[in-house]
Each structure stands twice: as C-alpha cells, then as structure tokens.
Amino acid sequence: MRDLVFATNNAHKLAEVSAILGSQIRLSGLKEIGCFEEIPEDQSTIEGNALQKARFVYEKYRKDCFSDDTGLEVAQLNGEPGVYSARYAGEACIAENNIRKLLDKLDGETNRKARFRTVVALILDGKEYLFEGIVNGIILTEKHGDGGFGYDPVFQPEGYSQTFAEMSMVLKNKISHRALAIQKLTDFLTT
C-alpha cells in the first residue's frame, strides 16, 4: 500500500477522494502532516495551481503528494469562472455568493453549457505528472439539492436529470470531473 498526501484541508474533497481511491492508497490530508499554513494558489491556470500546491508540499515536507484544482468553465461566459471558481464573487465569499454571481450573469441566457474540469498534479519520487477529468453539462436557473459543495446545486451533468447536489456520493464519485481525474491517478499508481 502506498502512502500519499492529498494537499487539501477541504474535508469534503478528502472524503470524496478517499472513497474513490479505496483501500489501495493510504491517504493523508494536510492536517495529518502538520501543515496548517495557507498554500499559495496564484497561478493563471488550473494546471498551474495544481502544480503549485503539490510542489509546495513536496518541497517543504518531502512526501509524495498530489493536489488538484478545479474550475467551472461556462461557454456563454468565455470560460468564466475557470481558475477563479472558488473566489468568483471575491476572496472572502462563500459558495452561495459565487452561485448567485454566476446565475446573475447567465440571467436570460439560453446557452447554459458548462463543464467542470479538474487537474490533478502528482509528485512521486520527485517526478511530476498531470491527470485531467472533464464533465460536460449545463447550469440550471436555480439551485437543486442539498449535497455536494461549490457549484454542485446548479450543475447538471450531461445524461442526467439531477444536479451533482442531488446525487448520492456513490453516483457522483463515479461520474464527476474529480472522479475521472482521480481514476486516472489511481490507474497510474496501480499499474
């Protein structure tokens, strides 16, 4: 069994990724390695942010690790919020503010196509690897569901009648952008 650090303090993400990885990988979060500082995320791309976080942990703690960054990319908004998804409505805003800003910008628009894109950056024995997962869908006009986090209540993936927030964690973990990227990571680690 391989030990890996997931460079996150987000309990939702840690639980989601642990469920995807299963028993093949012993996963630790930042708290478990004693990292309580804010890891910089100031790159202009999703790939850049994922690599920046993984490099920070690897260089400081010398542990094999991975990190991810996710962006919601809306076609009508030329890819916004993208790399700024978590802080779309401002640095100190919560998900509710981000959702409200997104829905306001899309008010009256008929093209509601969007995609969630996750990039996972792995540093293993000093070498860097990237894995990407994409899920296409649409942005609804109002929130549906209480599960998930972030934009999940307004994102309905292609081929489904539920938002991510309405789905069970089991289903979401099979089809989500993060699940697809993590599955590529898992396949890489186990072959």
Side-chain angles (χ1 to χ4, degrees):
M1 182 181 293
R2 183 181 289 276
D3 289 318
L4 269 182
V5 174
F6 183 15
T8 187
N9 280 315
N10 184 319
H12 291 291
K13 277 208 280 192
L14 195 57
E16 192 175 291
V17 170
S18 290
I20 295 165
L21 288 174
S23 60
Q24 300 170 49
I25 308 290
R26 189 172 21 245
L27 194 61
S28 302
L30 292 174
K31 286 181 199 166
E32 287 83 10
I33 63 166
C35 179
F36 298 99
E37 56 199 294
E38 193 69 32
I39 297 178
E41 277 186 84
D42 54 17
Q43 301 301 301
S44 61
T45 65
I46 292 169
E47 293 84 355
N49 274 345
L51 277 168
Q52 183 178 30
K53 291 185 283 186
R55 287 172 180 158
F56 179 92
V57 171
Y58 188 79
E59 289 165 9
K60 185 157 185 170
Y61 297 92
R62 287 292 174 212
K63 294 191 179 285
D64 288 338
C65 63
F66 68 95
S67 79
D68 74 327
D69 199 39
T70 295
L72 174 67
E73 299 172 337
V74 180
Q76 183 66 33
L77 303 177
N78 298 313
E80 280 185 24
V83 71
Y84 304 105
S85 293
R87 53 194 183 279
Y88 193 41
E91 288 294 331
C93 287
I94 59 172
E96 184 64 37
N97 302 116
N98 291 330
I99 289 171
R100 178 57 32 221
K101 179 176 180 176
L102 177 66
L103 294 181
D104 287 348
K105 281 192 144 195
L106 287 174
D107 189 39
E109 298 291 344
T110 55
N111 179 4
R112 303 184 76 85
K113 290 180 184 173
R115 70 180 191 170
F116 265 122
R117 188 165 70 94
T118 292
V119 174
V120 171
L122 168 69
I123 301 180
L124 195 63
D125 302 322
K127 293 183 182 158
E128 297 178 351
Y129 307 89
L130 293 175
F131 307 92
E132 181 182 62
I134 294 173
V135 171
N136 293 307
I138 59 168
I139 302 298
L140 301 180
T141 57
E142 60 186 32
K143 291 170 44 175
H144 293 270
D146 298 322
F149 58 98
Y151 297 93
D152 286 358
V154 294
F155 183 82
Q156 182 179 307
E158 259 178 25
Y160 293 87
S161 59
Q162 298 173 302
T163 65
F164 275 159
E166 293 174 294
M167 292 179 176
S168 69
M169 186 179 260
V170 172
L171 177 57
K172 183 183 174 192
N173 283 346
K174 286 181 182 172
I175 66 163
S176 79
H177 45 292
R178 186 170 293 109
L180 295 171
I182 295 295
Q183 190 57 57
K184 289 176 184 176
L185 168 72
T186 304
D187 293 346
F188 175 80
L189 290 170
T190 57
T191 55

